[in-house]
Amino acid sequence: MFEFDYWKLLAGLGIFLFGMQLLENSVKDLSGKSFRRIIRDYTNTRLKAIANGTLVTALLQSSSAVSLMVLAFVGAGIMSMENAIGVILGSNIGTTLTAWIVATLGFKIKIETFALPFIGVGAVGLILFRPGTRLYHINRLLIGFGFLFLGLDYMKTSVENFSQNFNPGQFQDLALWMCLIIGTVITALMQASAATIAITLAALNSQLMTFEMAAAMVIGANIGTTATVLLGAIGGSPPKKRVAGSHLAFNLVTGIVAFAALPVMVMIVKIFIDVTVNGPVGLALFHTIFNITGVIIFLPLVKVMTTFLVKLFPEHKTQLSVYIANTPAEEVEAAVIALKNEIIHLLQECQLYTLRSLHIDKTLVFEEPLPFEKGKKKQLPIDVFYNDIKELHSSIIAYYSLIQTQKLDETVAQELERAILASRNIMNAAKNFKGIRPDLDEFESSDSAFLNRQYDRFRKRLITLYHEINEVLSLNKEELQFSTIIKAFAHVEQADKIFIQQIVKTSSKNKEENLDLSTLFLVNRLFTQACRMLIFSMKDVLLTKEKTIAFDKAIEP
């Protein structure tokens, strides 16, 4: 009878994965911007994309981190889908470096000679150096390497103890396709192909399995990595689904080809390396060969795959505009009215966005749902809401440009200029609220009753302004609109002065309370600016040129 030390294997696996995570995070912290710049700026051709995808993944030791960078750049329109696929192809080659490190160092050198010193020196360094500094991250890197190999040593010794009393004949009947499935499932569950490969290398080193079985496990590990990307793409945007689709296609097809050609590939490896003596190194070579084979197969198909993925996951853009979508720009008179109505729609959506920023019930300002959420069961997430406002503003600018191509008299041209200025003011107001939202959230959740009160005051000021805006929008006569806008502006200025006076007065009375007054004043300044810009937007979109001039004179100090 013999016992298998499951806990030692599990502990080794945990330490190994923790070491990998420390390595990845440390390298990203040390050179994260450089890696992002390489991926962004040096992937403008297919071969460059593959080469730099290989390089960055080899250094970061994380294909998932590279995939996230690629996803972000594709989503932002910085990188084409073709080049993104090139980076993903390269990242699969880059991941093979893990197997080489483990195979050459982990099984060739006495691990304790450098694993424990790395951990010891790194731990002392973490204590001596300030968090966030370069030396601090270098020491984290040392600890990561130390844990990586210490975990491998635990796994190796637990398997070696098991293999001393193990009869390899018990495993001879295990089909290669079963090894493939085991490798796939283990990687999918742990979401780390490096861990599966490390376990396989340890088992091969202890002669628990044949080289062919280990090779099938590694193919399965490669296929299993697609689970992480697929999970991340569920419910994601079309670009995210395309990236996941290309990753799945590459790993699945490469895995099938490698498994079908397993005897040939094993034979090629055996030409260079005696796998009976150097099994782990042979397996690392096999891992590299079949990933390079996959890249060679897919390289001519990148354009075809891109076209297919774009058709499979098309962009489904929601129609955000209400008035300009179906009004031809050639009908200038109707187009100007549609543009102004769309800008008022933008203003109302911005109002709702700012209400959400301060967690104010929308029914205090709006009786009916606004177009963005009309007919929807759930309200939009705040970040999606902001992006929709940006999209609508872009549509307004594009429509304005179309009208500008028509023959316009001077009065209409000036009217359009004021209207587009109104849309910019609305967008800038939304940006201000986006910027101060984290601070407002801190005021709300603060233990300071003083900050809680300021948060409530911001809420009351916003509701008061929005009632006045709605009053202006409900009026038909320009004279009444003009006087109400003037009154709303005066209220904003008065509220700003009172706020500043009360803050100064309170801070002088409560000097013992440690208040971040600079943040309060900054938030108030941006809040007040946003309120002014919303009032200016109404002035420019609703009033005639003469009335806007009169307004500007009326508010002059």
Side-chain angles (χ1 to χ4, degrees):
M1 286 295 291
F2 56 87
E3 290 187 6
F4 180 44
D5 197 342
Y6 297 101
W7 288 116
K8 193 168 187 179
L9 177 66
L10 188 61
L13 179 60
I15 294 168
F16 180 87
L17 288 172
F18 181 63
M20 285 291 295
Q21 189 182 56
L22 270 181
L23 266 178
E24 178 190 334
N25 292 337
S26 301
V27 174
K28 273 199 288 188
D29 290 332
L30 283 166
S31 306
K33 288 182 181 177
S34 303
F35 290 142
R36 284 193 289 274
R37 191 164 58 250
I38 289 170
I39 293 294
R40 187 183 67 238
D41 298 338
Y42 301 103
T43 54
N44 53 351
T45 68
R46 215 172 292 172
L47 290 175
K48 276 187 184 179
I50 293 170
N52 286 302
T54 304
L55 172 68
V56 173
T57 307
L59 294 173
L60 270 181
Q61 284 297 288
S62 173
S63 59
S64 59
V66 174
S67 296
L68 287 172
M69 286 187 212
V70 169
L71 178 62
F73 292 140
V74 171
I78 296 170
M79 182 186 289
S80 70
M81 191 63 202
E82 283 184 42
N83 293 339
I85 292 173
V87 175
I88 287 166
L89 296 183
S91 72
N92 279 272
I93 298 173
T95 54
T96 64
L97 183 67
T98 305
W100 281 106
I101 292 171
V102 172
T104 53
L105 295 177
F107 295 101
K108 295 290 180 183
I109 300 169
K110 191 172 174 61
I111 289 174
E112 291 85 352
T113 57
F114 62 91
L116 296 180
F118 273 12
I119 295 170
V121 172
V124 172
L126 289 188
I127 296 167
L128 293 177
F129 299 107
R130 197 173 74 254
T133 61
R134 191 168 185 81
L135 286 170
Y136 180 86
H137 292 311
I138 288 170
N139 281 285
R140 281 178 66 210
L141 188 74
L142 290 176
I143 292 176
F145 266 117
F147 277 134
L148 186 77
F149 291 109
L150 186 66
L152 180 65
D153 186 53
Y154 269 52
M155 287 191 282
K156 190 173 75 170
T157 52
S158 69
V159 172
E160 281 173 352
N161 293 336
F162 176 66
S163 65
Q164 287 173 3
N165 300 295
F166 178 75
N167 177 14
Q170 296 178 33
F171 252 10
Q172 294 302 313
D173 295 332
L174 189 63
L176 293 180
W177 64 267
M178 277 297 296
C179 296
L180 178 81
I181 291 171
I182 291 167
T184 304
V185 172
I186 291 173
T187 304
L189 291 175
M190 290 195 296
Q191 298 194 17
S193 61
T196 307
I197 290 168
I199 292 170
T200 306
L201 287 167
L204 179 62
N205 185 64
S206 300
Q207 298 180 340
L208 283 179
M209 57 175 62
T210 64
F211 185 82
E212 287 77 7
M213 292 164 68
M217 285 272 285
V218 168
I219 295 170
N222 251 44
I223 296 171
T225 56
T226 60
T228 308
V229 183
L230 290 173
L231 285 171
I234 293 172
S237 61
K240 193 170 187 177
K241 289 176 180 175
R242 291 169 197 160
V243 170
S246 63
H247 191 266
L248 174 65
F250 175 82
N251 284 32
L252 196 58
V253 172
T254 302
I256 292 169
V257 169
F259 189 72
L262 189 59
V264 177
M265 287 191 175
V266 168
M267 191 169 62
I268 292 169
V269 171
K270 287 179 178 178
I271 293 171
F272 298 99
I273 294 169
D274 183 356
V275 296
T276 57
V277 179
N278 272 332
V281 176
L283 195 62
L285 178 62
F286 172 80
H287 191 206
T288 304
I289 287 172
F290 89 74
N291 272 296
I292 290 174
T293 303
V295 170
I296 292 168
I297 292 169
F298 270 85
L299 193 56
L301 304 174
V302 169
K303 195 172 184 64
V304 176
M305 187 159 68
T306 302
T307 306
F308 174 73
L309 288 169
V310 169
K311 285 182 180 178
L312 187 63
F313 302 111
E315 294 276 4
H316 295 293
K317 287 196 173 180
T318 308
Q319 183 60 261
L320 298 173
S321 60
V322 177
Y323 302 98
I324 61 177
N326 301 311
T327 308
E330 293 79 13
E331 299 292 333
V332 175
E333 188 178 347
V336 171
I337 294 169
L339 182 72
K340 285 187 172 185
N341 285 335
E342 202 67 71
I343 291 169
I344 292 169
H345 168 219
L346 178 70
L347 170 64
Q348 291 176 321
E349 298 291 0
C350 178
Q351 285 178 268
L352 183 53
Y353 170 74
T354 53
L355 290 174
R356 291 269 167 82
S357 297
L358 279 155
H359 307 112
I360 299 170
D361 186 352
K362 66 178 181 181
T363 57
L364 294 174
V365 177
F366 298 107
E367 293 179 2
E368 299 292 331
L370 294 182
F372 278 8
E373 294 183 336
K374 195 169 185 179
K376 292 183 179 177
K377 293 180 181 178
K378 291 182 179 179
Q379 67 180 34
L380 294 171
I382 192 90
D383 292 331
V384 174
F385 206 133
Y386 180 77
N387 286 332
D388 283 353
I389 288 173
K390 282 174 63 180
E391 285 287 333
L392 178 58
H393 182 242
S394 297
S395 300
I396 288 169
I397 298 291
Y399 190 72
Y400 164 77
S401 300
L402 283 174
I403 301 174
Q404 291 286 84
T405 61
Q406 310 302 313
K407 285 187 177 181
L408 306 173
D409 61 44
E410 190 177 344
T411 306
V412 173
Q414 290 176 351
E415 191 178 356
L416 282 170
E417 281 179 23
R418 292 198 303 277
I420 211 65
L421 177 61
S423 75
R424 291 196 193 103
N425 275 327
I426 294 165
M427 194 65 238
N428 286 331
K431 284 180 183 176
N432 273 23
F433 273 98
K434 184 176 186 286
I436 62 176
R437 188 158 59 89
D439 294 311
L440 291 169
D441 288 342
E442 282 188 25
F443 295 166
E444 182 190 24
S445 58
S446 174
D447 293 332
S448 167
F450 173 77
L451 290 177
N452 297 155
R453 285 196 300 274
Q454 307 323 308
Y455 177 77
D456 289 336
R457 287 172 66 189
F458 281 122
R459 285 159 57 95
K460 287 173 184 174
R461 286 166 65 182
L462 197 67
I463 293 170
T464 301
L465 171 66
Y466 286 174
H467 285 162
E468 290 177 315
I469 287 177
N470 289 351
E471 184 185 349
V472 172
L473 295 175
S474 68
L475 297 171
N476 294 320
K477 293 183 179 179
E478 188 184 22
E479 195 62 47
L480 287 174
Q481 288 177 332
F482 174 78
S483 60
T484 309
I485 293 172
I486 290 282
K487 184 174 67 175
F489 184 82
H491 288 163
V492 167
E493 296 302 299
Q494 185 184 23
D496 178 45
K497 286 178 183 176
I498 292 171
F499 182 88
I500 293 170
Q501 287 169 359
Q502 289 186 352
I503 294 297
V504 172
K505 186 178 177 181
T506 306
S507 63
S508 62
K509 284 183 179 179
N510 301 288
K511 290 181 180 178
E512 72 283 353
E513 190 171 0
N514 184 23
L515 299 172
D516 186 0
L517 295 182
S518 61
T519 302
L520 261 177
F521 282 124
L522 176 64
V523 169
N524 178 64
R525 182 168 66 83
L526 293 173
F527 178 91
T528 304
Q529 280 180 354
C531 293
R532 287 179 189 138
M533 285 188 282
L534 292 176
I535 291 171
F536 293 156
S537 71
M538 286 195 301
K539 176 256 297 186
D540 287 319
V541 82
L542 295 174
L543 303 181
T544 60
K545 182 183 177 182
E546 292 72 26
K547 286 296 182 185
T548 58
I549 294 170
F551 176 90
D552 293 338
K553 285 182 179 178
I555 67 170
E556 283 179 1

